[in-house]
Amino acid sequence: MTTATAFKASILHCLADPGGATDLSRSKAIEYIDDGLLIVEKGRVQKIGEAEALLAGISENIEVVDYSDKLIIPGMIDCHVHYPQIDIIASYGEQLLDWLREYAFPAEKKFANAEHAAQVADFFVDELLRNGTTTALVFATVHPQSADAIFESASRYNMRLISGKVLMDKNCPEDLRDDARSGYEDSLALIEKWHGKGRLSYAITPRFAVTSSEGQLAEAGRLANEHTDVYVHTHLAENEDEVELIAKQFSWSRSYLDVYEHFGLLRERSVFAHCLYINSQDRQAMADKGGAIAFCPTSNLFLGSGLFDMQAARDKQIRVGLGTDVGGGTSMSVLRTVSEAYKVLQLQGQALPPFDALYLATLGAARALYLDDKIGNFEPGKEADFVVLDSAATSITSRRLSTSDDVAEKLFALMMLGDDRCVAATYLMGKLAHSGANSRT
Ligand SMILES: [Zn+2]
């Protein structure tokens, strides 16, 4: 009696950083199997290979799920998103600091109500799965119950998700403030309750240095030092007015990143969203200390924040993943986010070849989150989180992809044109977690 399941489809994943390669035949970083089989046992990848060869050798007891004509890739990873802001996605007309005051803070106040938090968290997790996102690093609000709600929703699916309550004790509405001591204590209680439970992890989450006192940043750094296996998740240098404020608020600092570094918040498993206005010294510090950047193109465009310099990050070999940054971002879809990332780089004369884009959305993001030993590709033993993409889901993807047999070209077109409609199914640990209503089977 076996518990294995085999999934028959075209299979594509990254074995390493493609480093600019576009030609599959010359890239050892990519594995593509046109008629492939992914065998999953006890939630983990057992093996992948050519369907014909593997099917000949497997027991008749193994269930075969047929996704022929569809493409299986590893589950996509969102390295920065705010679940409490889902209801204010696409709010008109402001840049970061005004946008926070006008839209984000009023929405976040509602999370004092645990029922509201639970309802939004359930919707948000379903949206992740509908979009083929199987792991996310997620901001909650200042309220501890908002972190409880997102962890509870994710645990229902045994989803790999990282979150934490926001730390924020100044420059924000009174009723959204904690203080240095309660922020430390509430975060510690949440770490003890959730970190390492199933596939959940905790992130110490100062919103950004603007909204924290030095005392609070010091307490966050103390907690980070006491719990080196938890994450630190915050924003860095998103907007020029914000950077000016930081220079005034922390007049002793060399740079914005220096503020976080000073308080012990730059380390492995620290993830900084945006990083648009950082310099070469900052990038070197980020690389040396093992911090990671979440590149959030739809948000950077929507809030008029600026253009992320990917090449400069690559030159220093900094860990980079993609973030949707909803509600500043305009889509929960990592496919849409890849498409906007490509355009942001085009505006700067930089390239994002298709396999590099796949890497950013999967294995590269896993590496940014120090999870590449668990997720990000189909190496045997890894957690079987994957997405079934249907290129025939919309008339335009169907027509465009039928014009090519080249996998790089097809992948690129699918990433430029695709969104949640192309997600035929999402699997977590080999179990069906979402099945797309729009897919033509
Ligand atoms: Zn954000």
Side-chain angles (χ1 to χ4, degrees), residues 80-82 85 139 235 238 273-274 296 299 325-326:
H80 177 69
V81 60
H82 301 247
Q85 295 178 7
F139 257 67
H235 298 92
E238 175 176 1
H274 309 301
C296 308
S299 167
D325 195 27
V326 165

